[in-house]
Amino acid sequence: MAKNILVCDDAAFMRMMIKDILSKNGYTVAGEAENGMKAVEKFKEVSPDLVLMDITMPEMDGIQALKEIRKLDGGAKVIMCSAMGQQAMVIESIQAGAKDFIVKPFQPERVLEAVKKVVG
């Protein structure tokens, strides 16, 4: 069964790349968001099996959005995406309940490995 995934990144190019990787491998992209506030709204709308969340975004960053999503659904599965050198933020996001993290620039294999690990 295809898993529904919400893709959140402020860069349209990154969302497109992630959607491409996921859809080529049998996953369904349930929605996308370009900032943390939209990510939380979309999460309520589509109830995805998994959220791929960028850490650095305008309006509300990924860590804040992660916390909001976990308030809505304690069992929500979120994988954080970060640029190199954001170790402190990665640690903070894991403490806030993220299941895994992927470092940019993405390796498609790493994205799939993280997704499979979290949602199968």
Side-chain angles (χ1 to χ4, degrees), residues 6-111:
L6 175 60
V7 178
C8 312
D9 198 303
D10 55 332
F13 173 74
M14 293 312 280
R15 292 196 309 270
M16 198 177 72
M17 267 180 53
I18 296 168
K19 286 192 311 192
D20 189 52
I21 293 167
L22 294 172
S23 56
K24 280 182 178 161
N25 288 279
Y27 294 99
T28 304
V29 176
E32 51 184 293
E34 63 277 4
N35 65 51
M37 277 173 19
K38 288 227 167 61
V40 175
E41 284 167 26
K42 269 285 184 208
F43 183 85
K44 288 183 209 170
E45 249 173 69
V46 300
S47 300
D49 298 308
L50 175 67
V51 181
L52 285 177
M53 179 90 69
D54 186 20
I55 288 182
T56 315
M57 291 187 290
E59 289 184 60
M60 180 192 287
D61 69 25
I63 294 172
Q64 197 52 50
L66 164 68
K67 289 174 181 170
E68 292 299 317
I69 286 171
R70 301 273 303 171
K71 273 186 217 162
L72 293 169
D73 176 358
K77 294 181 172 81
V78 181
I79 295 176
M80 302 303 283
C81 308
S82 78
M84 291 298 258
Q86 290 182 314
Q87 265 55 42
M89 288 173 146
V90 166
I91 291 163
E92 188 183 341
S93 61
I94 298 290
Q95 288 168 338
K99 300 292 183 202
D100 200 352
F101 66 94
I102 311 166
V103 177
K104 295 177 182 179
F106 298 124
Q107 300 301 317
E109 307 75 47
R110 177 65 188 109
V111 173

